[in-house]
Amino acid sequence: MKRSKILARENRYGKNKENLHPNYENELKKDKWDVRNLGIPYNKTRGDYYLSFEKIPVNFRPLVKKYVIKRVIETDSIQWDTSRQDVHRLNMFFSFYNEIHPDHYTLQEMTRIDFIEYVDFLRRHPMGGESPSQYHNQPPSDYYIWSMVANIENFITYMQRYGWEEAPIKPSRSLIYQEDRPKLEKKKVTEYTFLGDHVWEQITTKFHLLDPQYVPIVILLEATGFHLVDLLTLKLDCLQKRDDGYWIVSERDKIKSVPISEDIYSMVKAQKIFIQDKFSEEENPDRFLFLKYKGKLKYRGRTYLQPSLIRQLNIFAEENQIKDLDDRVFRFGASPFRHRFGVKKISNGASILDVQKLLSNVTPEMAVIYAKIHDHNLQVFWEHSHENGAVRLDPITGEVIQTKILDQAYENNVDIDWLKRNLTEIRLEQGYCIKSPRTHCQFLNQTHEQPCIMFKCSSFYIDSSFLPYYDQQISMINQQIEEGSMQGRSRLVEILKGKLDKFVEIREKINTQSKVEQSDEYESSG
């Protein structure tokens, strides 16, 4: 973030001053503030109510409190969440500085050597401090060093800009050099966590195993690309019906509008009716669309907390073995859904400017990255489709036989470049349809379940990415056969066993072919 933005004299969009409680000053006298006693806005989906100065050395505590009061209360230039991050990082610096200068009460005598030793201290100690987190005891990353250096630089620059007597006598640019901040490498396209069709299909087929209260949230994440905080704070009146279709609107910080389908519109409308019936206006003063209605009684009627929601979704992914193309259990988060939304818009022909408008705060660079992710995903899908063990059905006998996607494309007169670009579009639930777009599907009007298999379609192609589907179907058919046998429905059992045999044959052939290809690859590499 630019320094001019961080050190703004006043945030013209800020809403802190206008919401202060009459007795807020009593809270400021404490060493641990509760935002609910101050009255200023905060992210209700995080549950970060407290700001503690208790770990700041006593001799520097008044200085840090003065800084936060100035920025959060008087000039209204930063939000509550930002102040919590600032104090956390300043705690690290002042704890270090107090060790080497225990008799100081200001930073007037701070030197360049002091700062060099501080950076060295950061590099020698793991991140995360004593609190358990994903960073606990991890070696310091470049971004960690960068953010810690930026924090103290902004703090010193702010004090000197407004002539605080506690500020260092030497100017900040003499204490902190540009090269003190590590150069941050740009993320590679492959480093962005992206929710692909392969994962989304697994999620949707197992929605019945997910707690119903989370299902509309997940569906809306995928359909809107909203940040999780924007989605969880949607209002009851967030829907709009315009001349150009249905829209959903978030008004948390600034208005964000995204077009939605009629099905999504109907789902949100049903959610609105459900919440209105469940909670009175007094119980839902903020008029939120999503409120907890299950679990402990004391938490009902509150907004969902992002960490607990993500934790529940990750438990769902782990229990149901929802995996990505690299066979790793998928980790939920708002970013993968947001990236998916941007990439889908690019793949559907939207321009980079269109994506920027829909995703409000997305930079032009990020929109370009979505286009790159789209191209990369096409290549990944292509590689998986012809490197994995694949089978097809013999159009005469119906036997499951080995195949290659290139051979099948050549046989059906399908252009390879067109096939690579449209691989996700021709993906069906049970396999790919390797058919030329100029060719009419002779089974299109058939009402049979899985006509591609039933009629031994020569365009039908199945690789190992479809194994989860066949595993699920085989398990479900076995259960149906067991129930049919108990009910004495012999004809149904006979039909189901024929279907089961074909699905088992497909699965076993794919597994066998995958093992053969892996063995060949191993021998060639050896």
Side-chain angles (χ1 to χ4, degrees), residues 231-456:
L231 193 145
L232 294 178
T233 54
L234 284 172
K235 303 292 186 178
L236 288 171
D237 57 354
C238 63
L239 290 175
Q240 291 184 4
K241 190 175 181 180
R242 309 176 187 172
D243 293 339
D244 57 349
Y246 301 101
W247 292 74
I248 189 167
V249 181
S250 168
E251 301 178 355
R252 187 178 64 91
D253 284 335
K254 52 185 177 180
I255 296 177
K256 305 170 189 175
S257 302
V258 172
I260 55 176
S261 67
E262 185 174 357
D263 289 340
I264 297 296
Y265 180 88
S266 299
M267 183 196 74
V268 175
K269 193 173 181 179
Q271 175 70 16
K272 172 184 176 180
I273 294 172
F274 174 81
I275 291 297
Q276 287 178 322
D277 290 343
K278 200 83 174 175
F279 301 99
S280 65
E281 292 185 7
E282 292 75 20
E283 292 172 317
N284 186 14
D286 294 314
R287 295 183 55 77
F288 285 144
L289 179 67
F290 293 106
L291 292 175
K292 288 184 178 181
Y293 61 89
K294 297 174 69 175
K296 293 182 178 179
L297 190 61
K298 66 177 181 179
Y299 295 128
R300 294 181 190 177
R302 296 187 186 181
T303 55
Y304 290 94
L305 296 181
Q306 293 185 58
S308 61
L309 174 62
I310 295 298
R311 183 168 58 251
Q312 291 301 319
L313 294 178
N314 282 329
I315 292 173
F316 162 73
E318 183 71 40
E319 290 179 345
N320 294 282
Q321 289 296 286
I322 295 175
K323 296 185 176 182
D324 59 22
L325 287 171
D326 295 322
D327 203 37
R328 295 175 300 195
V329 174
F330 177 72
R331 303 295 295 173
F332 275 87
S335 294
F337 285 92
R338 192 167 172 80
H339 297 335
R340 172 180 173 80
F341 181 85
V343 173
K344 277 177 60 181
K345 291 300 178 184
I346 292 288
S347 65
N348 289 335
S351 67
I352 289 175
L353 183 59
D354 291 334
V355 173
Q356 275 189 272
K357 288 178 180 178
L358 288 174
L359 291 176
S360 63
N361 62 344
V362 165
T363 63
E365 183 181 18
M366 193 66 226
V368 171
I369 287 173
Y370 287 150
K372 291 181 179 179
I373 292 175
H374 170 63
D375 293 341
H376 173 73
N377 286 340
L378 289 180
Q379 185 63 29
V380 169
F381 278 123
W382 175 253
E383 290 172 355
H384 273 273
S385 68
H386 75 271
E387 287 181 358
N388 293 343
V391 297
R392 58 176 294 185
L393 302 179
D394 187 296
I396 306 298
T397 66
E399 180 187 357
V400 180
I401 58 177
Q402 171 189 346
T403 190
K404 295 285 186 182
I405 195 170
L406 294 177
D407 296 340
Q408 205 160 340
Y410 178 78
E411 179 183 322
N412 293 339
N413 197 28
V414 177
D415 180 73
I416 300 301
D417 289 334
W418 178 90
L419 185 61
K420 290 175 69 173
R421 292 194 306 271
N422 294 278
L423 202 60
T424 55
E425 283 76 9
I426 64 172
R427 183 183 175 95
L428 307 176
E429 188 179 31
Q430 66 272 21
Y432 288 106
C433 177
I434 311 297
K435 176 186 72 65
S436 169
R438 297 185 295 274
T439 304
H440 176 71
C441 176
Q442 58 183 317
F443 309 122
L444 192 60
N445 297 322
Q446 297 292 338
T447 58
H448 295 278
E449 185 182 9
Q450 290 115 5
C452 307
I453 298 176
M454 174 76 69
F455 296 100
K456 305 179 285 292

Side-chain angles (χ1 to χ4, degrees), residues 22-236:
N23 298 321
Y24 76 92
E25 292 181 342
N26 294 333
E27 191 70 17
L28 300 183
K29 296 175 183 178
K30 304 175 184 178
D31 287 337
K32 186 175 182 179
W33 300 348
D34 186 333
V35 66
R36 293 166 294 187
N37 294 332
L38 293 173
I40 62 178
Y42 65 98
N43 185 347
K44 294 184 178 180
T45 70
R46 298 286 312 176
D48 297 329
Y49 307 126
Y50 299 103
L51 172 56
S52 175
F53 300 89
E54 295 168 327
K55 292 185 178 180
I56 302 288
V58 176
N59 42 335
F60 290 106
R61 197 173 298 170
L63 174 59
V64 176
K65 292 178 73 173
K66 175 183 175 181
Y67 173 76
V68 176
I69 291 172
K70 193 75 175 176
R71 308 264 348 245
V72 176
I73 306 298
E74 295 182 17
T75 64
D76 200 359
S77 58
I78 61 174
Q79 295 180 334
W80 176 256
D81 289 343
T82 305
S83 68
R84 295 182 79 255
Q85 293 176 10
D86 285 351
V87 172
H88 172 73
R89 290 166 180 162
L90 288 173
N91 169 55
M92 183 73 73
F93 170 76
F94 280 110
S95 295
F96 167 81
Y97 191 80
N98 191 58
E99 285 288 329
I100 58 177
H101 299 297
D103 55 337
H104 287 194
Y105 287 81
T106 71
L107 296 180
Q108 289 180 349
E109 299 177 37
M110 181 179 172
T111 65
R112 168 69 182 164
I113 297 298
D114 292 334
F115 188 76
I116 292 174
E117 291 180 354
Y118 173 59
V119 175
D120 182 60
F121 168 82
L122 292 175
R123 294 189 182 280
R124 287 186 287 105
H125 289 77
M127 299 185 293
E130 299 176 357
S131 54
S133 71
Q134 58 179 321
Y135 307 110
H136 182 57
N137 283 333
Q138 295 297 312
S141 63
D142 284 346
Y143 178 76
Y144 172 77
I145 301 296
W146 188 94
S147 62
M148 298 298 280
V149 170
N151 171 257
I152 188 61
E153 183 179 15
N154 290 331
F155 179 74
I156 291 173
T157 303
Y158 189 89
M159 289 195 296
Q160 291 181 340
R161 172 180 288 184
Y162 298 111
W164 289 16
E165 62 179 3
E166 301 96 336
I169 296 174
K170 291 185 176 182
S172 62
R173 295 192 180 278
S174 297
L175 297 171
I176 304 170
Y177 297 167
Q178 185 176 354
E179 55 266 31
D180 291 331
R181 297 193 192 191
K183 184 177 179 180
L184 301 179
E185 298 293 334
K186 290 185 177 181
K187 289 179 71 173
K188 299 176 182 177
V189 170
T190 54
E191 292 176 338
Y192 286 91
T193 306
F194 171 76
L195 192 156
D197 291 338
H198 176 70
V199 174
W200 181 242
E201 287 173 6
Q202 295 176 68
I203 293 172
T204 54
T205 56
K206 296 180 179 178
F207 265 154
H208 63 286
L209 300 174
L210 178 62
D211 191 322
Q213 64 180 324
Y214 302 132
V215 172
I217 295 175
V218 175
I219 291 175
L220 270 184
L221 276 175
E222 197 272 342
T224 64
F226 280 158
H227 286 295
L228 190 52
V229 59
D230 291 327
L231 193 145
L232 294 178
T233 54
L234 284 172
K235 303 292 186 178
L236 288 171

